[in-house]
Amino acid sequence: MRNNAKWLICQMLVAMMVTGQYVQAQTSTPMPQIIQKGSHHTLEVDGKPFFMFGGQCGNSSNWPSMLPGVWDTMKTMHANTLEIPIYWEEVEPVQGSFDFSSVQRILDQARENDMRLILLWFATWKNGSNHYMPEWMKKDSKKYYNVTSIKGTPVDSPSPHAKPAMEADAKAFRKFMAYLKEKDQQHTVIMVQVENEPGTWGSVRDYGREAQKLFAQQVPSEVFTPSVCKELGVDKNAKGSWAQVFGERADEYFHVWHVAKYINYVAQAGKEVNPLPLFVNVALRDPLTNPSADNYESGGATDNVISLWKAAAPCIDMVSPDIYLRGDEAILKVIDLYARKDNALMVPETGGANSKYLYKVIEKGIGFSPFGVDKRRQALGCATRDALSYEYELLNPMNRELAQWAAEGRIHTVIEPEDHSEQHILLGQWEATITFGTGRGNNHPQGAEHAANGKAMIIQLSDNEFLGIGTNCRFTFNTAGKNEGRAWQYLKVKEGKWENGEFKMSRILNGDETDWGGPQVGEKPNMILFTLVAR
Ligand code: DGJ
């Protein structure tokens, strides 16, 4: 039975956040929140839609010696939000004695640099280990114990059954969230990540004494929500131990349940004092092959256990994929799996090469962020801008409009498939055709090898007016729907950018720029406003 009063409070807070009914009573600006309409989610910041064009710095970059380079990078990237860790070991160096100077420093500097923040609470779990626990905990490994493997050997991963660690984390997280509530009334911080890639590498679950006891007990009835039963293929009235109910995947589901419960306890402690949106990032598994849990980090919200994770952790608003996979099939699958009616899609980490998928995330999600941006830029050399910075430069000025248009279903995106084949988008009485590459007419110069890195986004502004944005692609249109079969032409084609809430034209495209299969965009993204007329 869900008879725990705290749980109910948390459920209400989450429900109010999700449905947008949360009214901020005391702070001067509205609380950031995730609004759900139908199956789409929108992040609202300052009471208005906002798409997070983010960058995450390196793990050890929240230090005075590193921050100038971080800000420099974020400016060069044209990002609007920095994701940056807060280290538990630094915040609570002595048990019960808290030092939030690192939090205040980052708040001050973000405001000076006109940047929003997503703070990452590096605490019990960091990539499945306990490395950010304060020293006083690391020195007491009996009390704050780790996972024991099936062979009885120690595993470098905190046990979700270690209650003193859970209590300590919840206490510190509550203090941290209370600090933000007091010192960040303008909501420079728009979300908080609780833990980092929680779960365990090297053992599917804990096989220590407490874990073994719980594993033999009956599966709690609260596990059997309708969506969990559907996801895991069990009956809602199932009874028995974890092994009896879940068979060969019992170890994994048991670990997932207890990791998520632990994190929910921490999240609830923070949310009670400051109801900012909270999320957990996920080290993914291969979404195409249903591998067994010894092939990935067990205990995280991998695609096979999203409902189970959510049932255990109602105070976590979102589970968010860290996308380091390669290949269209796997990445598009992950985007679909995490953009669910009950889960807003946000990509808190991705590899630099994955900017091909940015437009898809704009269409379906609320934010996108490559990882290690300051480190990558140092490696490239400080003067170098990467491809994503041109995307952000063009798109960030319209981040609020993009979030609004995505909610209205006006944004349609395509990516260049491996076979470079043209893609079609139906837009009422028009059909757009997107071809890829940079050759004239035939889009790929004969025989040329070409990476499939094109992408396009079309925003339907009205019946006959479309904003086309893309790289390495060409846009053309034809009549469809009730205009099918009619001749058509461009009324006007304008190249430009978004400024102060409107399209600002830099030139009209005509003649060679529109006649040979439609206007073309190269390596650097461009924005084109099309007005069409049927004849
Ligand atoms: C994923 C983690 O969440 C990050 O903190 C960082 O360790 C990266 N992996 C490194 O690639």
Side-chain angles (χ1 to χ4, degrees):
M1 278 290 286
R2 291 171 180 158
N3 55 2
N4 175 318
K6 280 191 172 178
W7 190 91
L8 282 172
I9 291 169
C10 204
Q11 273 293 77
M12 282 166 55
L13 283 173
V14 171
M16 287 193 289
M17 301 278 295
V18 167
T19 56
Q21 291 164 1
Y22 181 81
V23 180
Q24 181 60 19
Q26 286 172 353
T27 55
S28 47
T29 55
M31 175 68 74
Q33 57 182 339
I34 299 166
I35 308 281
Q36 184 185 354
K37 279 206 191 101
S39 55
H40 191 86
H41 298 85
T42 307
L43 171 63
E44 283 196 357
V45 172
D46 299 338
K48 289 176 289 191
F50 179 90
F51 186 86
M52 190 270 288
F53 288 105
Q56 184 169 150
C57 64
N59 291 167
S60 306
S61 295
N62 192 357
W63 291 99
S65 60
M66 300 299 287
L67 286 172
V70 171
W71 296 121
D72 204 22
T73 305
M74 296 299 288
K75 291 277 175 197
T76 310
M77 275 182 78
H78 295 269
N80 59 28
T81 304
L82 170 66
E83 297 180 337
I84 188 162
I86 299 297
Y87 316 117
W88 187 11
E89 63 179 349
E90 201 198 357
V91 160
E92 195 182 0
V94 174
Q95 185 169 16
S97 152
F98 294 90
D99 173 1
F100 289 111
S101 53
S102 62
V103 178
Q104 191 57 50
R105 182 175 61 228
I106 201 67
L107 287 175
D108 292 342
Q109 293 195 13
R111 290 167 192 156
E112 277 160 28
N113 286 281
D114 195 20
M115 201 74 63
R116 299 286 177 158
L117 292 171
I118 292 182
L119 298 181
L120 319 173
W121 178 243
F122 278 18
T124 298
W125 282 275
K126 163 68 176 77
N127 295 26
S129 297
N130 72 353
H131 300 178
Y132 283 86
M133 275 187 185
E135 283 180 26
W136 53 268
M137 296 180 77
K138 287 180 182 162
K139 284 178 184 158
D140 193 348
S141 60
K142 277 213 163 27
K143 189 168 180 187
Y144 307 111
Y145 58 88
N146 272 354
V147 162
T148 301
S149 80
I150 195 162
K151 293 183 183 141
T153 52
V155 179
D156 181 19
S157 181
S159 170
H161 310 291
K163 288 220 168 56
M166 185 176 81
E167 299 284 355
D169 195 342
K171 185 173 168 201
F173 188 64
R174 188 184 183 93
K175 289 262 184 210
F176 161 61
M177 293 293 279
Y179 187 88
L180 288 182
K181 170 136 179 103
E182 187 191 335
K183 304 289 184 183
D184 186 33
Q185 304 218 343
Q186 62 263 63
H187 299 301
T188 299
V189 178
I190 58 174
M191 285 190 240
V192 172
Q193 178 186 292
V194 192
E195 317 296 340
N196 190 87
E197 291 193 350
T200 300
W201 294 96
S203 183
V204 175
R205 68 170 175 91
D206 187 4
Y207 295 84
R209 202 153 39 90
E210 177 64 15
Q212 290 302 82
K213 202 174 81 195
L214 291 168
F215 188 71
Q217 287 173 8
Q218 185 152 313
V219 180
S221 60
E222 58 180 320
V223 168
F224 300 106
T225 66
S227 56
V228 172
C229 290
K230 194 164 162 219
E231 179 176 77
L232 305 184
V234 285
D235 191 87
K236 66 178 183 341
N237 300 314
K239 289 216 166 15
S241 69
W242 288 82
Q244 284 163 341
V245 174
F246 294 116
E248 63 181 16
R249 296 213 80 127
D251 293 324
E252 178 189 12
Y253 297 165
F254 172 78
H255 199 48
V256 166
W257 181 257
H258 286 284
V259 170
K261 279 292 228 190
Y262 181 124
I263 293 175
N264 190 61
Y265 187 85
V266 175
Q268 180 175 311
K271 204 145 198 161
E272 279 170 358
V273 293
N274 185 357
L276 276 170
L278 301 179
F279 69 97
V280 166
N281 62 333
V282 184
L284 299 177
R285 65 180 206 147
D286 178 354
L288 303 173
T289 59
N290 191 25
S292 57
D294 47 1
N295 288 285
Y296 53 90
E297 187 182 27
S298 175
T302 46
D303 66 76
N304 55 324
V305 292
I306 294 175
S307 295
L308 182 62
W309 227 96
K310 284 183 160 285
C315 290
I316 296 293
D317 299 275
M318 260 184 323
V319 295
S320 306
D322 288 351
I323 303 185
Y324 291 97
L325 298 162
R326 289 294 167 106
D328 294 349
E329 196 186 358
I331 294 176
L332 294 178
K333 178 92 187 183
V334 164
I335 287 173
D336 276 348
L337 287 166
Y338 284 84
R340 304 173 16 143
K341 200 166 181 190
D342 63 353
N343 195 62
L345 171 73
M346 188 192 60
V347 180
E349 291 182 36
T350 185
N354 282 341
S355 59
K356 179 178 177 185
Y357 309 96
L358 169 66
Y359 296 2
K360 280 274 166 230
V361 180
I362 292 172
E363 179 185 356
K364 296 175 180 224
I366 65 170
F368 183 92
S369 169
F371 174 77
V373 292
D374 52 331
K375 295 205 298 191
R376 199 146 53 92
R377 186 156 171 267
Q378 278 157 19
L380 289 169
C382 282
T384 312
R385 286 184 60 179
D386 64 6
L388 193 66
S389 71
Y390 293 101
E391 302 283 357
Y392 279 18
E393 182 176 18
L394 191 69
L395 298 173
N396 190 10
M398 62 198 303
N399 77 73
R400 291 190 183 277
E401 286 85 355
L402 286 169
Q404 178 63 35
W405 290 327
E408 292 167 359
R410 292 175 187 273
I411 299 186
H412 308 270
T413 63
V414 291
I415 58 166
E416 180 173 5
E418 302 294 337
D419 66 1
H420 313 294
S421 56
E422 65 183 39
Q423 302 292 302
H424 302 270
I425 302 172
L426 203 55
L427 304 153
Q429 59 214 29
W430 298 96
E431 184 188 66
T433 299
I434 317 294
T435 54
F436 299 100
T438 51
R440 188 176 187 181
N442 275 340
N443 293 296
H444 295 289
Q446 285 283 311
E449 274 299 315
H450 174 79
N453 58 8
K455 59 184 182 305
M457 158 159 52
I458 295 193
I459 302 156
Q460 178 149 23
L461 297 176
S462 64
D463 283 354
N464 301 314
E465 201 183 19
F466 304 93
L467 208 49
I469 301 169
T471 52
N472 289 326
C473 69
R474 191 185 274 272
F475 296 91
T476 190
F477 293 86
N478 214 332
T479 50
K482 71 175 166 56
N483 276 344
E484 179 108 42
R486 291 176 69 185
W488 71 279
Q489 70 181 130
Y490 296 119
L491 207 53
K492 201 69 88 192
V493 182
K494 299 173 181 174
E495 187 181 66
K497 59 183 176 178
W498 202 262
E499 242 179 48
N500 303 322
E502 58 185 19
F503 181 81
K504 183 145 182 267
M505 184 188 85
S506 54
R507 59 174 177 156
I508 290 175
L509 299 180
N510 207 338
D512 285 349
E513 277 63 57
T514 53
D515 291 346
W516 304 93
Q520 182 177 310
V521 185
E523 287 291 331
K524 261 171 98 173
N526 206 354
M527 193 181 292
I528 301 167
L529 181 61
F530 297 92
T531 320
L532 312 176
V533 63
R535 299 173 64 89

